[in-house]
Amino acid sequence: MDMNEAPILEFNKVTKHFIAKGEVDKTAIKELSIKLYPGMVVGLLGQNGAGKSTLMRCALGIIEASFGEITILGESVSQLSSKAKSQIGYVPQQPFGYEGFSVARALDLHRSFYPEWDIELEREWLQRFDLDTKQQVQRLSVGQRQSLALIMAMAYRPKLLILDEPVASLDPIARRKFMADLFDLALESGSAVLFSSHITSDLERVASHLALMKEGELLLFKEIDSVREEVKLLTLPTGEVLPIELNVLNRTADKVLVDNFCSKICPSDSKIQVESMNLEQLFMEFHR
């Protein structure tokens, strides 16, 4: 990734309220700021209702943010040019239409909108997902429709790829194959990827960065390697004071989930017990 370039996607203090009967019924996103640069693969992690899908829909202009600014390729999402729109790929949670079309005809129609379409990539992924181009779209399984949606979103190598639970309907083998290529494709195409998943092993496998959301707030955003090194679960002995340099993410009795950890803050002779975690353990401790 090249952070010396302009960001492909930028959220600047974005807030989204949902209004009912003239009053704020729910705040789905709270003053969220984040930048995605070329080659960056950001995994969104959070419970249902944390605001992940709302964030993605705001980025796409499907719904309008209440406050703040969102830009894609330097353009406001409210006034995107046709050129910028053609550089965005999106796969929603639910597979979309093309009923009445064969897979081949659906791809022919979709391909016609994108002059930069990579036909070799399309063919490779059709084979990878074992899709029969003669089969009718309405007769595809949920997983097969999701596979087709992924091909349609990625074969023109968009600069921004937004994936909302993209592999939830795929079998484990197809999911692993897809995730294995996602990071390489982003680097090769100079793209930025924002994807949500509840499958933490997928996030650990391909994400360059983790964005952890809770109740509409972005509470942690950093490189995956830094998450492994700096986010720890501490067990405090009775009367032990937590070093002020640490950023507390969650606390339950004597268990404290912290960021910005380093051995200088809690040296080896400290009585504080330090535990490393994988993403699944981090997620569980974050919501304990």
Side-chain angles (χ1 to χ4, degrees):
M1 87 198 73
D2 190 349
M3 297 181 70
N4 292 319
E5 296 185 26
I8 290 178
L9 171 63
E10 181 176 1
F11 298 92
N12 185 16
K13 296 184 178 180
V14 172
T15 294
K16 175 58 183 175
H17 298 310
F18 286 105
I19 307 297
K21 297 180 180 180
E23 298 182 356
V24 175
D25 179 60
K26 178 183 178 182
T27 300
I29 304 173
K30 304 174 185 177
E31 295 193 348
L32 184 146
S33 295
I34 189 174
K35 296 179 183 180
L36 275 70
Y37 291 90
M40 187 179 285
V41 180
V42 177
L44 270 178
L45 186 61
Q47 290 181 307
N48 292 334
K52 304 186 301 298
S53 293
T54 300
L55 184 68
M56 292 180 169
R57 295 175 72 193
C58 285
L60 292 161
I62 297 173
I63 58 177
E64 185 178 357
S66 304
F67 301 101
E69 184 181 16
I70 305 172
T71 58
I72 295 176
L73 297 170
E75 299 181 16
S76 171
V77 294
S78 62
Q79 298 176 322
L80 282 181
S81 64
S82 297
K83 182 179 180 180
K85 290 178 181 178
S86 71
Q87 294 296 311
I88 302 171
Y90 173 50
V91 179
Q93 288 185 6
Q94 299 298 325
F96 49 90
Y98 286 103
E99 281 77 4
F101 287 74
S102 67
V103 170
R105 284 189 61 210
L107 283 168
D108 285 343
L109 176 59
H110 203 77
R111 190 188 307 119
S112 67
F113 295 103
Y114 299 99
E116 302 300 323
W117 191 274
D118 188 334
I119 192 66
E120 290 301 320
L121 185 62
E122 173 196 316
R123 290 170 180 165
E124 179 184 337
W125 283 44
L126 282 169
Q127 183 177 11
R128 169 162 296 179
F129 290 129
D130 197 23
L131 288 177
D132 181 357
T133 57
K134 297 178 181 179
Q135 193 169 3
Q136 293 294 302
V137 171
Q138 67 268 24
R139 295 181 181 175
L140 297 176
S141 69
V142 174
Q144 288 173 323
R145 287 196 183 198
Q146 196 77 349
S147 299
L148 180 59
L150 288 167
I151 294 172
M152 288 180 168
M154 300 182 71
Y156 53 94
R157 297 183 179 271
K159 288 299 180 184
L160 174 62
L161 188 58
I162 295 180
L163 308 171
D164 195 356
E165 297 285 347
V167 294
S169 301
L170 301 185
D171 65 70
I173 294 175
R175 192 180 79 238
R176 183 177 288 261
K177 287 180 178 177
F178 168 73
M179 300 306 287
D181 281 351
L182 181 60
F183 187 77
D184 289 339
L185 189 67
L187 289 176
E188 182 183 322
S189 303
S191 306
V193 181
L194 179 65
F195 77 101
S196 66
S197 177
H198 286 104
I199 305 172
T200 54
S201 59
D202 287 342
L203 289 171
E204 286 188 297
R205 188 175 296 118
V206 303
S208 64
H209 290 69
L210 175 68
L212 193 56
M213 293 184 67
K214 185 176 183 180
E215 297 177 352
E217 294 187 76
L218 181 66
L219 298 186
L220 181 69
F221 177 61
K222 63 195 319 174
E223 292 187 30
I224 285 287
D225 289 343
S226 295
V227 171
R228 296 188 182 104
E229 294 172 3
E230 299 174 9
V231 179
K232 303 292 184 181
L233 181 64
L234 308 183
T235 303
L236 299 182
T238 301
E240 188 75 22
V241 177
L242 193 69
I244 60 174
E245 298 93 335
L246 296 174
N247 177 26
V248 176
L249 300 174
N250 195 24
R251 182 164 188 164
T252 306
D254 62 340
K255 300 287 186 180
V256 188
L257 184 66
V258 300
D259 185 21
N260 299 334
F261 175 88
C262 73
S263 57
K264 291 182 180 179
I265 295 176
C266 294
S268 57
D269 59 352
S270 171
K271 295 181 181 179
I272 298 176
Q273 181 180 334
V274 181
E275 297 177 52
S276 298
M277 296 165 291
N278 59 33
L279 282 191
E280 182 175 356
Q281 293 168 326
L282 168 58
F283 183 79
M284 296 302 295
E285 291 297 335
F286 189 69
H287 295 93
R288 185 180 294 276

